Amino acid sequence: MKIKKDTTSPADIGDYMKVFACTAVMMQTVLSLVLATSPTYNYQTPIGIIYNLVKFTAPAFIFGILYTTTRTTNQNTLANYGGYMKKQWSALFVPTIWWTLAYLLIMPNVQQINQYHNVGSFLWHFINGNAAPHLWYNTMMLQFIILMPFFWMLARFVKNNSKRGIWTLVITVVFFAAWIGFYDLEVFHGPHEQSWYLLDRIFISFVIYGIFGVLSWMFRDKLEKFLKKSFPILVILFVVVFYWTNKELFNFGYPVSLANAPYYKPSMTLYALLVIGLVATLAIRHINTNSKALPVFHFLATYAYRAYLSNVFWLQIIWRLGGKNLVDVNPILAIIVCYLLTWILSFASAYTFHIIWSKIKDSLPRKRVQESTE
């Protein structure tokens, strides 16, 4: 059986990636907040392990976005760029602007690195991702949206040409390995750890996942065959690499610092790619069997980005209304309760705000028509 090629399918691999990534990133936020309360080492160990388990979010989201966008727009050229950006402006940039303002104006305490103190620093925090713990990723992700013409060119370049696809894959892996090596020497506990921290939100640091997303759609039949044959191996490698990531983290000792588990390491890169492969396998199985889960994943994927933007906002409210007190009772209980409430409120608010905004937009033309006829 082949992956369905009908672009009207209720969900695709990209949708699954977005849902898994959004769901996992909320757990990362909760874990970071609970760990900041300095729980005992007995609790820091499972927190570190769970954090490594969900440390695939940004790569999976980038892969998912590029996979879905390539599926729906791979025939586009620069002539289509204006229309494409117009759609992305309303779907991605507008929610980003509103939520970034909400964090800076309503919850300035969640800023990272430092606090804004004038108009210039306010604007700088607005665009560099320091407005909230999770917005660094947003700054990086939007770069891929802006640079889509290059990925359209790549899609046309490799189309129906396996040799070009293989060469693209090899060059990407070699380049990215060199970049990871450079980051490990110069930034991660290196001489430029503080001054070059913005490198973690430049698209180059995640470009392998974007390119793999493009290649996965353009060679989707080959991808399915590969995943079916290699699934048992992927599972074994997942266990081995997951152990590797945890060994690296705990080699730094206690107290556990989640900063010692960055994306920019060979272990984390392999781990993210393995998770992407496993999630893709699940998605392909659901697509081929026309699973009842397809519409659910498609629905959640539609609101995943907006839910992701809001999750820190809702978590802060939950934390202040009693979540922090739960840590004194049991840190694991606090993680479970805060996570579930954050997930529910994030997706519920994303859907609610979408409905409200849709109704407002639908009412505007009618008002104008009424005014013009009076």
Side-chain angles (χ1 to χ4, degrees):
M1 298 176 71
K2 306 268 186 200
I3 301 176
K4 291 184 179 180
K5 300 180 181 179
D6 180 11
T7 57
T8 62
S9 174
D12 66 9
I13 291 175
D15 284 341
Y16 277 68
M17 295 297 169
K18 295 170 194 172
V19 174
F20 272 87
C22 182
T23 298
V25 77
M26 294 180 192
M27 177 59 78
Q28 288 183 8
T29 308
V30 174
L31 293 171
S32 299
L33 202 54
V34 173
L35 187 61
T37 65
S38 300
T40 64
Y41 292 172
N42 288 336
Y43 287 111
Q44 291 187 31
T45 299
I47 287 175
I49 293 173
I50 297 171
Y51 187 80
N52 275 331
L53 182 66
V54 297
K55 190 69 176 183
F56 61 86
T57 54
F61 220 126
I62 293 301
F63 178 94
I65 289 172
L66 269 295
Y67 183 94
T68 300
T69 306
T70 302
R71 177 176 73 91
T72 56
T73 67
N74 69 82
Q75 299 298 325
N76 282 7
T77 64
L78 277 176
N80 307 107
Y81 189 57
Y84 164 80
M85 284 303 296
K86 185 178 180 180
K87 291 181 180 178
Q88 300 306 318
W89 173 258
S90 59
L92 302 177
F93 286 86
V94 171
T96 294
I97 292 171
W98 284 115
W99 278 112
T100 303
L101 284 174
Y103 288 117
L104 288 174
L105 298 177
I106 302 175
M107 294 182 176
N109 61 295
V110 300
Q111 291 175 82
Q112 304 296 290
I113 310 298
N114 51 49
Q115 302 281 309
Y116 72 83
H117 55 276
N118 54 33
V119 174
S121 58
F122 179 90
L123 295 175
W124 178 231
H125 277 61
F126 191 91
I127 64 173
N128 70 7
N130 284 341
H134 62 317
L135 292 183
W136 69 269
Y137 158 75
N138 193 67
T139 295
M140 176 272 300
M141 185 274 295
L142 292 177
Q143 295 171 53
F144 281 88
I145 300 301
I146 295 172
L147 295 172
M148 269 310 297
F150 293 98
F151 296 102
W152 292 337
M153 291 172 59
L154 173 62
R156 291 194 297 272
F157 174 74
V158 302
K159 185 177 183 180
N160 299 324
N161 193 315
S162 297
K163 288 184 178 180
R164 289 184 177 183
I166 292 173
W167 272 111
T168 300
L169 188 150
V170 170
I171 293 172
T172 300
V173 170
V174 171
F175 168 80
F176 198 73
W179 177 258
I180 291 296
F182 164 79
Y183 191 96
D184 185 58
L185 291 173
E186 297 294 329
V187 184
F188 181 58
H189 295 319
H192 302 288
E193 184 173 13
Q194 301 299 321
S195 56
W196 288 4
Y197 75 91
L198 288 176
L199 285 180
D200 68 2
R201 62 204 66 183
I202 294 179
F203 77 96
I204 293 175
S205 295
F206 291 85
V207 72
I208 188 173
Y209 310 109
I211 292 175
F212 277 24
V214 174
L215 295 178
S216 293
W217 170 254
M218 299 308 294
F219 299 101
R220 52 197 176 278
D221 292 340
K222 291 181 173 60
L223 172 69
E224 179 178 3
K225 292 178 182 177
F226 169 78
L227 291 176
K228 282 183 176 180
K229 292 180 179 179
S230 61
F231 178 73
I233 298 175
L234 291 179
V235 173
I236 295 172
L237 288 176
F238 170 85
V239 174
V240 172
V241 176
F242 182 55
Y243 172 80
W244 180 14
T245 62
N246 282 290
K247 188 173 186 299
E248 286 184 331
L249 175 61
F250 292 107
N251 278 345
F252 286 98
Y254 292 84
V256 171
S257 172
L258 300 182
N260 291 323
Y263 286 110
Y264 324 105
K265 296 192 299 181
S267 59
M268 282 298 184
T269 301
L270 287 173
Y271 180 74
L273 290 173
L274 287 167
V275 173
I276 288 171
L278 292 174
V279 174
T281 303
L282 174 65
I284 290 171
R285 178 176 178 81
H286 282 187
I287 292 170
N288 286 342
T289 58
N290 196 27
S291 170
K292 294 181 179 180
L294 287 173
V296 176
F297 273 92
H298 183 64
F299 174 82
L300 292 175
T302 302
Y303 301 99
Y305 178 70
R306 281 163 281 190
Y308 148 78
L309 285 173
S310 69
N311 86 92
V312 171
F313 183 89
W314 297 117
L315 176 58
Q316 283 291 314
I317 293 176
I318 294 166
W319 188 252
R320 296 173 187 180
L321 291 179
K324 185 176 182 179
N325 296 333
L326 285 177
V327 177
D328 297 329
V329 178
N330 187 296
I332 301 301
L333 176 63
I335 290 171
I336 294 172
V337 173
C338 290
Y339 172 72
L340 290 176
L341 290 176
T342 299
W343 193 95
I344 293 170
L345 287 174
S346 297
F347 274 97
S349 65
Y351 178 73
T352 302
F353 291 154
H354 169 73
I355 296 300
I356 292 173
W357 179 239
S358 296
K359 290 183 177 180
I360 292 174
K361 287 194 299 182
D362 290 342
S363 68
L364 291 177
R366 287 195 294 271
K367 289 183 179 180
R368 289 172 183 166
V369 171
Q370 291 173 359
E371 291 173 356
S372 64
T373 55
E374 290 177 352

